[in-house]
């Protein structure tokens, strides 16, 4: 054990980063509050922070993209936005706290198109995203980005107006160069932006599949009395994940180290106080372990009991099949009343 | 090319060991160390560490940990934990700290991070 060489260590770390990549898979509905959870404390979740931002920004980004696309387009957005990533790459970084801060900032701060746009493009470069972003760098990058986008737009606009004025027109309305009987050759840039705009328009969920983010409705947690938590939309979430309620329930109980029951309206009653965020984290690990396909990362999988009491996950999109561990509770300490002594 | 394949085939391989997700390699020791958390009343929690290899002296580990994390703790014996081996139980949420401790090659046990699983929220 102690003879682990550094390479093994590195491998381990790489793996955990790879995990983070999957983490973003599981964002719940992309609402702003969901996205920022500044004080997660498990290692995995802390790691998962940066990747968790994208879905929000994906929404934002998609929005801004769509709105901007006809004007300046994804084409010139992309190169500009590459910069922050390159910056990131150049420095090796430490994550955790800084990332957290960044999260909070991204949420509270400038919901402006600039930030959104930048992050949206970050999304498309998943590989680089693996590296964590130190706060200062990120802020700086953001500012830079904002400047760039603003500046870029200005310049772009001027240019467009100046030298290729005839290339203008409303794509949606089909005027200008986009009109049906227009014979002029359309420049590459507007065509490209049109392509992306149409792509985003026609496939609203394309962004999510393309970036492998997988959305489930956020768990609804209510408090029952003082000591119990009600997990209201478990059936809905299970349906979304195509897993049996019992399986998810068993996993939740095993991970949270508690017990509970299902009430009349099929809501799950968990003993102990849990916040939505905590449940969310557990669900996230569940999805990574039991829902996503390890080969293609698609969540479109089926869990079935194989021939010999083993559970297998079969992927519907790539056809791969792997076995998963059964849910084990492990040791749980005696909490509360003392055990009755024998004899 | 073919030589390499042959050599690979000659290697003894444990088919039951779990495949490493990244490389597809099998690792021999798949005895995970589980770090769990349990809620007690109020804001109190317990951290349990299950599966620390028996080559380590659990008592000593506990002693060091208690001092370092400033918490109390006990060792649950094998009989008490119903055959799950000796379990270290600490008061409070020390999951991250204990993981760092287990991984730390200098002041800790220097275990492989991959063998450690943190459970809970």
């Amino acid at each position: 054990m102690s003879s682990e060489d550094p390479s093994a260590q590195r491998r381990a770390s790489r793996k955990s980063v790879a995990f983070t990549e999957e983490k973003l898979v599981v964002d719940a509905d992309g609402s702003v509050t969901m996205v920022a959870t500044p004080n997660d404390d498990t290692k995995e979740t802390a790691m998962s922070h940066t990747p968790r931002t994208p879905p929000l920004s994906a929404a934002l980004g998609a929005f801004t993209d769509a709105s901007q696309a006809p004007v300046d387009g994804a084409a010139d957005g992309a190169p500009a936005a590459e910069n922050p990533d390159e910056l990131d790459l150049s420095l090796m970084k430490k994550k955790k706290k800084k990332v957290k801060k960044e999260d909070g900032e991204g949420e509270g701060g400038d919901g402006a198109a600039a930030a959104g746009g930048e992050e949206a493009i970050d999304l498309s470069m998943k590989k680089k995203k693996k590296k964590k972003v130190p706060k200062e760098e990120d802020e700086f990058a953001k500012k830079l980005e904002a400047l760039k986008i603003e500046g870029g737009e200005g310049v772009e606009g001027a240019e467009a107006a100046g030298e290729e004025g005839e290339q203008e027109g409303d794509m949606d309305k089909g005027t200008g160069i986009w009109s049906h009987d227009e014979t002029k050759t359309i420049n590459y840039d507007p065509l490209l932006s049109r392509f992306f705009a149409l792509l985003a328009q026609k496939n609203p969920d394309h962004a999510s599949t393309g970036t492998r983010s997988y959305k489930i409705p956020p768990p609804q947690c209510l408090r029952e009395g003082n000591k119990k938590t009600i997990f209201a939309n478990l059936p809905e979430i299970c349906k979304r994940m195509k897993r049996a309620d019992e399986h998810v329930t068993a996993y939740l109980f095993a991970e949270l180290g508690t017990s509970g029951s299902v009430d009349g309206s099929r809501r799950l009653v968990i003993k102990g106080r849990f916040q939505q965020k905590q449940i969310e984290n557990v669900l996230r690990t569940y999805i990574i372990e039991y829902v996503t396909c390890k080969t293609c990362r698609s969540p479109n999988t089926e869990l079935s009991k194989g021939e010999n009491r083993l559970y297998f996950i079969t992927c519907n999109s790539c056809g791969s099949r792997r076995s998963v561990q059964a849910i084990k509770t492990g040791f749980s300490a005696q909490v509360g009343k003392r055990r009755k002594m024998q004899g | 090319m073919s030589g390499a394949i042959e050599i690979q085939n000659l290697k003894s391989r444990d088919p039951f060991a779990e495949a490493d997700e990244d490389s597809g390699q099998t690792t021999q020791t798949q005895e995970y160390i589980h770090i769990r958390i349990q809620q007690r009343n109020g804001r109190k929690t317990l951290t349990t560490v299950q599966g620390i290899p028996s080559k380590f002296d659990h008592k000593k580990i506990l002693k060091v940990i208690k001092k370092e994390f400033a918490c109390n703790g006990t060792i649950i014996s094998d009989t008490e934990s119903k055959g799950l081996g000796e379990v270290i139980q600490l008061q409070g949420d020390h999951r991250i700290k204990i993981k760092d401790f287990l991984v730390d090659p200098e002041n800790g046990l220097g275990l492989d991070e991959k063998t450690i699983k943190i459970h809970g929220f």
Side-chain angles (χ1 to χ4, degrees):
Chain A
M1 261 305 130
S2 49
S3 66
E4 288 301 337
D5 54 353
S7 78
Q9 293 261 355
R10 219 181 314 127
R11 196 142 47 86
S13 70
R14 181 155 56 83
K15 195 169 104 188
S16 56
V17 174
F19 254 125
T20 70
E21 203 187 353
E22 293 179 355
K23 290 271 184 186
L24 79 158
V25 171
V26 202
D27 202 82
D29 258 350
S31 68
V32 183
T33 42
M34 304 288 319
V35 171
T37 42
N39 42 2
D40 284 332
D41 32 22
T42 58
K43 181 209 87 194
E44 287 186 351
T45 49
M47 304 271 286
S48 76
H49 267 301
T50 333
R52 280 185 65 201
T53 8
L56 148 77
S57 47
L60 257 177
F63 172 69
T64 51
D65 257 3
S67 60
Q68 281 176 8
V71 193
D72 72 341
D76 36 329
E82 226 161 304
N83 268 352
D85 268 327
E86 275 164 19
L87 266 181
D88 298 347
L89 277 178
S90 60
L91 345 122
M92 293 311 287
K93 54 249 44 179
K94 279 282 177 174
K95 34 320 277 262
K96 295 220 164 161
K97 283 177 189 168
K98 299 194 167 175
V99 179
K100 282 173 196 168
K101 277 186 210 153
E102 176 228 329
D103 237 5
E105 199 212 22
E107 175 215 14
D110 35 14
E118 180 228 357
E119 292 203 52
I121 285 148
D122 261 5
L123 263 188
S124 62
M125 323 194 149
K126 212 26 86 39
K127 287 283 143 54
K128 294 178 182 176
K129 193 72 184 179
K130 278 184 184 175
K131 302 273 159 71
K132 293 299 191 274
V133 190
K135 190 197 169 203
E136 301 87 16
E137 279 314 314
D138 191 62
E139 256 182 331
F140 175 60
K142 257 184 195 164
K143 275 178 197 156
L144 210 146
E145 187 51 37
L147 277 179
K148 266 206 178 147
I149 285 187
E150 280 163 25
E153 254 175 323
V155 173
E156 215 76 6
E159 261 179 14
E163 86 183 75
E164 33 184 83
E166 74 277 7
Q167 290 281 334
E168 276 178 358
D170 194 331
M171 190 170 69
D172 295 324
K173 288 174 195 140
T175 59
I177 48 164
W178 303 113
S179 56
H180 188 60
D181 48 357
E182 178 64 56
T183 49
K184 240 175 263 166
T185 22
I186 302 168
N187 278 5
Y188 177 71
D189 277 357
L191 276 177
L192 189 64
S193 50
R194 182 176 78 131
F195 166 71
F196 276 108
L198 283 178
L199 198 66
Q201 220 174 54
K202 295 276 154 66
N203 311 293
D205 54 7
H206 192 270
S208 56
T209 54
T211 57
R212 297 201 204 97
S213 92
Y214 175 51
K215 286 174 186 164
I216 54 165
Q220 288 165 5
C221 288
L222 321 164
R223 179 71 60 72
E224 184 185 78
N226 208 10
K227 292 191 166 173
K228 283 177 190 164
T229 308
I230 295 183
F231 183 0
N233 57 351
L234 178 78
E236 193 190 334
I237 290 175
C238 292
K239 217 167 121 194
R240 184 79 177 71
M241 299 190 297
K242 289 188 240 143
R243 291 293 175 272
D245 289 15
E246 291 77 28
H247 193 254
V248 181
T249 312
Y251 185 81
L252 276 173
F253 287 160
E255 283 297 299
L256 296 172
T258 60
S259 57
S261 53
V262 181
D263 76 357
S265 43
R266 288 186 73 208
R267 298 181 304 180
L268 184 67
V269 182
I270 309 170
K271 269 189 198 165
R273 300 178 190 178
F274 297 99
Q275 277 152 10
Q276 181 187 353
K277 201 173 60 199
Q278 298 172 318
I279 305 271
E280 217 178 283
N281 284 335
V282 179
L283 280 177
R284 187 168 292 118
T285 52
Y286 178 85
I287 288 172
I288 286 164
E289 196 138 339
Y290 292 101
V291 180
T292 51
C293 169
K294 284 274 190 282
T295 318
C296 66
R297 302 253 164 78
S298 138
N300 183 14
T301 55
E302 267 165 34
L303 182 73
S304 56
K305 213 174 204 175
E307 48 275 17
N308 35 19
R309 292 186 302 182
L310 294 171
Y311 280 100
F312 284 95
I313 285 185
T314 320
C315 180
N316 287 339
S317 47
C318 74
S320 83
R321 191 159 173 268
R322 73 180 173 102
S323 72
V324 288
Q325 287 176 326
I327 297 167
K328 270 182 274 177
T329 318
F331 173 76
S332 70
Q334 188 73 28
V335 174
K337 268 181 225 151
R338 230 169 264 202
R339 202 177 320 174
K340 272 191 191 129
M341 300 299 277
Q342 270 109 1
Chain B
M1 174 80 185
S2 65
I5 288 171
E6 272 163 30
I7 288 169
Q8 276 236 315
N9 287 343
L10 284 176
K11 269 183 201 160
S12 68
R13 183 175 160 275
D14 181 6
F16 295 106
E18 275 186 58
D20 208 338
E21 283 135 20
D22 263 5
S23 51
Q25 282 174 350
T26 52
T27 41
Q28 290 292 337
T29 51
Q30 274 305 330
E31 276 304 303
Y32 281 115
I33 297 174
H34 299 276
I35 303 175
R36 295 197 173 80
I37 189 165
Q38 262 184 297
Q39 282 194 332
R40 290 182 52 218
N41 38 6
R43 279 173 56 91
K44 293 172 186 169
T45 47
L46 285 179
T47 309
T48 56
V49 186
Q50 181 193 329
I52 293 181
S54 51
K55 67 175 177 186
F56 296 109
D57 186 345
H58 290 200
K59 258 189 181 166
K60 257 187 190 156
I61 292 176
L62 183 69
K63 213 166 197 173
V64 174
I65 286 176
K66 275 163 71 168
K67 187 133 192 177
E68 201 166 304
F69 302 165
C71 67
N72 204 357
T74 53
I75 291 174
I76 315 270
S77 65
D78 198 10
T79 49
E80 257 179 302
S81 66
K82 289 164 194 139
L84 293 168
E86 292 204 326
V87 177
I88 293 183
Q89 178 181 318
L90 302 168
Q91 292 177 3
D93 182 359
H94 301 287
R95 285 173 298 165
I96 308 289
K97 279 185 274 177
I98 203 140
K99 198 206 112 214
D100 292 343
F101 174 81
L102 293 176
V103 175
D104 191 349
E106 276 168 35
N107 307 317
L109 304 186
L111 295 169
D112 189 359
E113 211 176 326
K114 261 185 286 179
T115 61
I116 302 173
K117 270 194 175 175
I118 299 185
H119 299 263
F121 35 82

